[in-house]
Amino acid sequence: MFEEFLLLLESEKGKIETVLKPHLDEKIFKQLVGGFFDETQKRFIAFAFMPIKRSMFYEYDYLFELSTSGHSAIYFSAEIREKKKNYIDQNTFQYKSIQELIEEGIYKSLLIIYTGEFDFNEWNILRSCCFSDTKDKNKMLQSRLDWIKENTLKDYFFSKDTIFQEALEHHTKLMSYVQTKNEAITIPSELKPFVGHSNLVALVRAEKKQKLNLAFQDYIKKAVYHPLIISLKTNYPDIYETVWGFYGNDCNFLTPSHRQFCLMLFMATYKRKKSLLQFYFYHLQENKLYKWIYFELHPYKEKFDYDLIQRVFSPISKLDNMDYIHDPRCNFDDDDFWNNFVLKKNNGEYQYLIEYKATISTP
């Protein structure tokens, strides 16, 4: 079967190279072993193999994010498991970091697995890294076949029970192991946009969304939110004595996927220790900051707790989970809410937005 596997990797290597070349650094692309597609030509698996030097961590960390991303490892020597440990005393040890394992020569090679699917009009590619104590490429490739029993190679790699399983089915299967039979399985907010798509697509796109949202929020905090808070504390010290957000954040965001505007949410505590929920809206195209006053015109009578936002928003939006304000994998794409309760105009003027003349930081 291994010879068949090698032939299969070589058979569609040219097509694999065409797909992967725009996505890979040239250093990695040169190490590509090969790969193959499923019958639809919309899914593929490919492998690259790299013998590694002890300087690899510093040379390639920026490509693989070794410091922050997970990895797996296969050991062919029984001694390695002991070499992975740093002993603090005779009875206590901690495992060595990936940097130590590379620099001490314990990790000798790296097999990189690329799994891809064409969806949302682009290739969604998941990369995984598997280190080993051998420099034998064939040993590493052979390890990919250890679990094959009666399946053909393509049936095994493209089985619907693998990473290509539909996202909601995959989640339901995982939850069935930890929840009772009578307990309803809810769909996580970050998974909702990907129901009907594969788990691979959900993982890749949720991670990409997370990185974009975190970068966007970091910019808004530095350029808009922090100058706003300084202005509010300076001009209204009695009202904005203490300012804080939910879930350990200084503020929280409701942001649509297009990121052309966002709603900032935070709590302000009076000197009398009364807390009020505050809303400010930043519009990127206008480069203007507004106070959102919908709840000043339509006051809510809810008492403060961590579900307050969900309760007061539920009559005017589809916000059914607090994930939307604290999980960077989630965007709030409720057009009815944005158009009719935030951006609604009357005679050309915003009905629920009042411009706030605060400094927007553009050094």
Side-chain angles (χ1 to χ4, degrees), residues 176-193:
S176 68
Y177 297 126
V178 296
Q179 294 185 203
T180 62
K181 289 184 178 180
N182 297 326
E183 190 176 357
I185 295 176
T186 57
I187 305 174
S189 302
E190 74 274 9
L191 190 62
K192 289 179 180 179

Side-chain angles (χ1 to χ4, degrees), residues 63-94:
L63 290 175
F64 294 111
E65 299 175 323
L66 298 173
S67 305
T68 55
S69 298
H71 70 280
S72 60
I74 296 177
Y75 304 113
F76 295 92
S77 169
E79 300 173 356
I80 294 300
R81 299 190 183 280
E82 193 62 27
K83 290 182 179 180
K84 287 173 58 184
K85 301 174 182 178
N86 265 331
Y87 277 91
I88 299 169
D89 55 43
Q90 285 187 330
N91 301 312
T92 310
F93 69 88
Q94 62 183 22

Side-chain angles (χ1 to χ4, degrees), residues 257-291:
S257 294
H258 55 66
R259 302 176 191 87
Q260 294 303 303
F261 48 72
C262 65
L263 189 65
M264 294 173 279
L265 305 83
F266 57 91
M267 299 296 299
T269 304
Y270 279 63
K271 282 187 175 180
R272 300 171 187 171
K273 303 303 178 184
K274 182 180 179 181
S275 296
L276 288 178
L277 192 53
Q278 301 286 297
F279 305 92
Y280 284 82
F281 179 85
Y282 180 62
H283 201 301
L284 270 76
Q285 291 180 334
E286 297 179 4
N287 194 31
K288 289 182 178 179
L289 178 64
Y290 298 88
K291 185 172 185 180

Side-chain angles (χ1 to χ4, degrees), residues 2 6 31-33 48-51 109 111 134-143:
F2 182 61
L6 293 179
Q31 309 299 328
L32 197 64
V33 176
F49 178 80
M50 295 176 60
S109 67
L111 184 68
T134 181
K135 290 190 176 182
D136 189 326
K137 178 175 68 177
N138 285 346
K139 267 189 177 183
M140 289 293 287
L141 290 171
Q142 176 74 55
S143 69

Side-chain angles (χ1 to χ4, degrees), residues 215-231:
F216 175 79
Q217 291 175 14
D218 186 58
Y219 165 74
I220 296 298
K221 283 184 180 182
K222 288 181 171 65
V224 181
Y225 174 74
H226 291 155
L228 167 65
I229 296 304
I230 292 172
S231 174

